[in-house]
Amino acid sequence: MSRSPIHQLSQSLVNRIAAGEVIERPASVAKELIDNAIDAGCTRIEIDVEDGGRAMVRVVDDGHGIPPEELPLAFAAHATSKLTSDEDLFRIRTMGFRGEALASIGSVSQSRVLSRTPGSDAAYEIVNHGGDISVPRATSGNVGTTVEVRNLFFNTPARRKFVKGTQTEFGHIAEMAVRLALPQPQIAFRLSHNGRLVRELPAVESPRQRWLAAWPEELRHEHLPVESRDGDVRVRGLIALPSAATPTAKHQHLYVNNRPVRDRFIGHALREAYRGLVEPGRHPPAILLIDVPPDTVDVNVHPTKSEVRFADSSRIYGLIHSTVRQVLLGNDLTPTAVATADRAIDAPGERDTMQQKLADFFRTAPAATPLPPMSSATALPAGTDTEAAIRLAAAAAMTTPFALHSDPSQRPIDFAAPPPAGPLPDSLTAPRADAIDHAPSAIAKAIQLHNSYLVVESDEGMLVIDQHALHERILYEDLLAKFTAGPLESQRMLIPQTLRASPQQLDLLEQLSPMLAKLGIDAAAMGPDTIGVTAFPSFLDRLDPAAFMQGLLERGEQELLDLTHEELLHEVLDMMACKAAIKAGDVLTQPEIDALLARRHLVERSSNCPHGRPTTLRLSLKDLEKQFKRTGF
């Protein structure tokens, strides 16, 4: 192949190359035009779309407009009013700043810009036909700017064939419009498709009104407000209850200085705050707005400006994680059973079946077993309040024998480790917001249903508790507390238990050894394909050490190798708690039920097991009356 001489590319070709990076689909056009409208200081933005944006995208604003003498620069590459010096690039306060969006869009479409400034008697328009730009001419028009983009990619057929169908492309535009509207409550947004109004968000004074208006209806009643500040860094927004987690992150909206972003630090902080409250693979909806000084964040790291780089990412991570976690731990996260059923049951026949099952349960359920007489150690003095009753019951519960066998006559086993000498630690005695308000009294009735669920009478109605999930959470928190305080007490074995291991598992064991030692597990290679376990936590004497290590290493080959130390610790504790907890089908005596329920109110995040499944569902009297159609009486 012969050598071609070096030459300068034409400006039109440069713009088309830039369009390949910036303009991916019609939604990219809508984003750039809306960004410019926001920067223009407008109070109203109208987005009109035809054929999913393939035929036309038009954005109209009532901002300050563009003077006619500057209109030719609207389609010029790297022409902007938002930067004047190198220093401005490091303290960007506007949505756009590169001055390349309109030039790129105009090079691959048939575009028109019509604008009028407040002091002008007429509007002026300019047309760009695939890079062929007209001169401005006077016309009629309101104050503000209208940008109309037709026949996107008409001159780049290779790009046009990758554009999807009408509904798919319009869906991306609608999602983009809502995402950009969320942090701009002072601006009214109106979205139309093929002449039909699809979405309208009026200007509001309260940011929370805009956030809720943009969220799906089913999420508007399952949210918690968040707000905190660390010096000049502020976090605000809404987070959903764990029960509202969805299979995708579609309803997670993250912003930095009102700019929608995708940031791995923010996303990871949010996931970690919800750890143990949502099931793996599900994503909690959230609207989080992070305000930082412009000179501490770099927004010029991605062609679409969707990624940022923080000067102090650990500070941002810590503030988001602590803020969200504190809000979650300070609220009652127990889902309502009827609300869950209402979302899942639509057909009248299915609803009737649910009502019949409830009726059958209340008609056939045995009477609650009377509570055994209190010993002198647990008797409550007259006038003892609910909080004190819970603490006393929990203290007794921690030493209550707890049978894990299907035959209650077999040797009882402690359901939790014995408490340390002296008073209970603050983490176990301090009342939680979701514990005191909904704690059953000392004489609450409780029965075991199908040897798997505990049905508890409460002042508001009833609770249905998954015994395995609740015990798993209790054991997990106990293990975490003991691990934090120091190495767990372990029991040496007279004869090591051995298991076969692959080379990958031996490598994983070496990686895990320091952490396992703190957990009271002493395991090491005893040959090219053998591992020996010589010590195991006394707290988990019911587990088979070799079987536990085999399961841990097999899982580790697939899931644990890329986790951070903290994530790895949580995963191992999750597994230990799950293996040691009582199982569905285990028969519990009444004292064991009482002991388990007493501990529920002293454990953080007792509404969910460590894997994120709910431990408890609530049915209020009002919910029951609604199901039995007794409302109005």
Side-chain angles (χ1 to χ4, degrees):
M1 181 178 178
S2 59
R3 177 186 178 277
S4 298
I6 298 175
H7 62 281
Q8 187 106 29
L9 297 178
S10 67
Q11 190 59 53
S12 62
L13 183 55
V14 170
N15 290 339
R16 291 183 191 179
I17 292 173
E21 296 181 338
V22 178
I23 309 304
E24 178 184 1
R25 61 195 332 149
S28 306
V29 172
K31 176 189 181 300
E32 298 295 341
L33 301 186
I34 294 173
D35 280 350
N36 285 340
I38 293 172
D39 290 338
C42 67
T43 62
R44 175 181 54 83
I45 296 177
E46 295 184 5
I47 307 108
D48 298 313
V49 179
E50 293 179 3
D51 191 22
R54 301 185 304 178
M56 188 267 289
V57 175
R58 179 170 57 231
V59 174
V60 182
D61 69 64
D62 61 351
H64 48 58
I66 305 173
E69 63 273 16
E70 296 179 14
L71 271 180
L73 292 175
F75 287 114
H78 307 299
T80 180
S81 63
K82 301 163 188 177
L83 295 179
T84 58
S85 65
D86 291 350
E87 289 74 18
D88 291 341
L89 189 61
F90 301 103
R91 51 172 182 266
I92 294 171
R93 301 178 184 274
T94 55
M95 301 295 287
F97 54 88
R98 295 188 184 126
E100 63 180 359
L102 278 180
S104 299
I105 292 170
S107 68
V108 292
S109 67
Q110 297 167 344
S111 304
R112 178 175 73 100
V113 176
L114 183 149
S115 191
R116 177 183 171 186
T117 59
S120 177
D121 295 331
Y124 289 82
E125 74 172 356
I126 189 171
V127 176
N128 186 343
H129 191 288
D132 184 11
I133 304 173
S134 70
V135 297
R137 67 180 184 87
T139 185
S140 60
N142 297 324
V143 172
T145 302
T146 298
V147 183
E148 185 177 281
V149 178
R150 292 186 175 273
N151 300 324
L152 184 64
F153 301 135
F154 81 99
N155 55 354
T156 52
R159 295 292 305 279
R160 187 175 180 85
K161 71 179 182 179
F162 287 103
V163 177
K164 306 299 181 183
T166 299
Q167 293 305 316
T168 298
E169 294 299 342
F170 178 72
H172 285 288
I173 292 176
E175 183 179 342
M176 178 63 68
V178 169
R179 188 177 293 270
L180 293 173
L182 277 173
Q184 308 290 344
Q186 76 283 1
I187 302 177
F189 283 77
R190 182 184 175 94
L191 174 64
S192 300
H193 188 214
N194 294 333
R196 181 176 62 86
L197 178 63
V198 175
R199 194 70 180 266
E200 186 168 20
L201 296 172
V204 292
E205 294 184 2
S206 168
R208 186 175 178 181
Q209 288 180 268
R210 170 59 58 84
W211 302 337
L212 291 177
W215 242 356
E217 180 68 32
E218 63 270 19
L219 297 179
R220 295 177 191 174
H221 304 293
E222 297 191 7
H223 70 273
L224 300 168
V226 297
E227 182 163 2
S228 67
R229 182 184 292 273
D230 177 15
D232 53 6
V233 178
R234 180 188 181 196
V235 175
R236 55 198 169 97
L238 300 174
I239 58 174
L241 296 176
S243 57
T246 59
T248 69
K250 177 181 179 180
H251 299 304
Q252 282 186 4
H253 302 289
L254 310 176
Y255 301 87
V256 173
N257 293 346
N258 291 343
R259 182 188 304 279
V261 299
R262 297 190 306 266
D263 185 83
R264 63 189 182 93
F265 288 103
I266 300 175
H268 189 271
L270 183 63
R271 288 195 304 273
E272 284 300 299
Y274 275 87
R275 173 179 284 276
L277 296 176
V278 298
E279 299 177 51
R282 297 187 71 83
H283 305 266
I287 299 172
L288 292 181
L289 292 85
I290 300 98
D291 301 317
V292 301
D295 58 353
T296 65
V297 59
D298 184 2
V299 301
N300 190 30
V301 297
H302 192 274
T304 63
K305 297 167 285 190
S306 61
E307 298 180 7
V308 296
R309 184 176 294 123
F310 294 104
D312 189 354
S313 57
S314 61
R315 180 186 180 192
I316 305 298
Y317 181 100
L319 181 60
I320 294 172
H321 180 270
S322 62
T323 299
V324 174
R325 183 183 177 90
Q326 183 176 1
V327 170
L328 290 172
L329 295 182
N331 285 272
D332 180 14
L333 306 180
T334 303
T336 302
V338 171
T340 304
D342 285 345
R343 286 197 297 268
I345 300 173
D346 296 318
E350 291 179 288
R351 190 173 297 279
D352 292 342
T353 300
M354 171 64 75
Q355 294 173 0
Q356 186 60 48
K357 288 181 178 179
L358 283 168
D360 292 343
F361 167 74
F362 284 108
R363 184 172 61 251
T364 60
T369 305
L371 289 174
M374 289 187 177
S375 67
S376 58
T378 59
L380 303 179
T384 301
D385 61 12
T386 301
E387 177 183 341
I390 292 170
R391 296 187 184 184
L392 288 171
M398 293 180 73
T399 56
T400 300
F402 202 81
L404 300 183
H405 304 279
S406 58
D407 182 358
S409 65
Q410 295 185 31
R411 181 179 63 86
I413 304 176
D414 290 347
F415 112 96
L424 292 175
D426 292 340
S427 62
L428 293 181
T429 59
R432 299 182 2 259
D434 63 334
I436 300 306
D437 291 345
H438 304 279
S441 67
I443 57 172
K445 304 180 182 68
I447 63 171
Q448 187 181 31
L449 185 66
H450 296 299
N451 297 334
S452 299
Y453 302 98
L454 307 179
V455 181
V456 186
E457 179 182 335
S458 67
D459 294 338
E460 299 86 1
M462 60 180 284
L463 303 175
V464 182
I465 298 171
D466 183 327
Q467 64 187 37
H468 170 74
L470 176 57
H471 194 206
E472 185 179 352
R473 167 59 70 184
I474 291 171
L475 290 179
Y476 172 85
E477 296 296 339
D478 281 348
L479 281 168
L480 182 59
K482 291 177 182 296
F483 179 88
T484 304
L488 271 66
E489 179 183 349
S490 63
Q491 178 68 45
R492 304 296 299 183
M493 299 178 185
L494 294 176
I495 302 176
Q497 290 200 22
T498 61
L499 59 141
R500 289 295 185 93
S502 67
Q504 292 82 2
Q505 290 174 342
L506 291 172
D507 291 340
L508 178 61
L509 177 64
E510 184 176 352
Q511 175 187 338
L512 296 176
S513 288
M515 182 180 64
L516 294 178
K518 285 197 67 177
L519 290 170
I521 300 176
D522 187 358
M526 297 183 66
D529 61 353
T530 304
I531 291 175
V533 183
T534 57
F536 206 67
S538 305
F539 180 68
L540 300 174
D541 60 349
R542 297 181 298 277
L543 297 185
D544 179 87
F548 174 82
M549 288 300 302
Q550 187 73 59
L552 174 63
L553 295 175
E554 288 178 353
R555 180 181 174 191
E557 282 186 293
Q558 304 297 322
E559 303 175 22
L560 305 181
L561 288 175
D562 296 327
L563 298 182
T564 65
H565 176 78
E566 182 181 2
E567 292 171 331
L568 197 58
L569 171 62
H570 284 295
E571 291 292 333
V572 175
L573 293 181
D574 283 355
M575 186 173 177
M576 296 173 77
C578 183
K579 297 290 186 182
I582 58 175
K583 303 297 187 289
D586 286 338
V587 178
L588 307 182
T589 65
Q590 192 64 43
E592 292 164 353
I593 293 174
D594 297 338
L596 185 59
L597 294 181
R599 285 298 303 280
R600 170 178 176 265
H601 300 286
L602 303 177
V603 175
E604 288 187 345
R605 298 175 291 180
S606 65
S607 60
N608 298 79
C609 78
H611 301 99
R613 293 190 302 106
T615 65
T616 309
L617 294 177
R618 180 184 299 110
L619 272 167
S620 69
L621 288 174
K622 183 181 294 186
D623 294 331
L624 290 172
E625 289 169 353
K626 178 181 177 182
Q627 291 293 326
F628 285 104
K629 303 187 183 300
R630 293 181 59 88
T631 55
F633 293 94

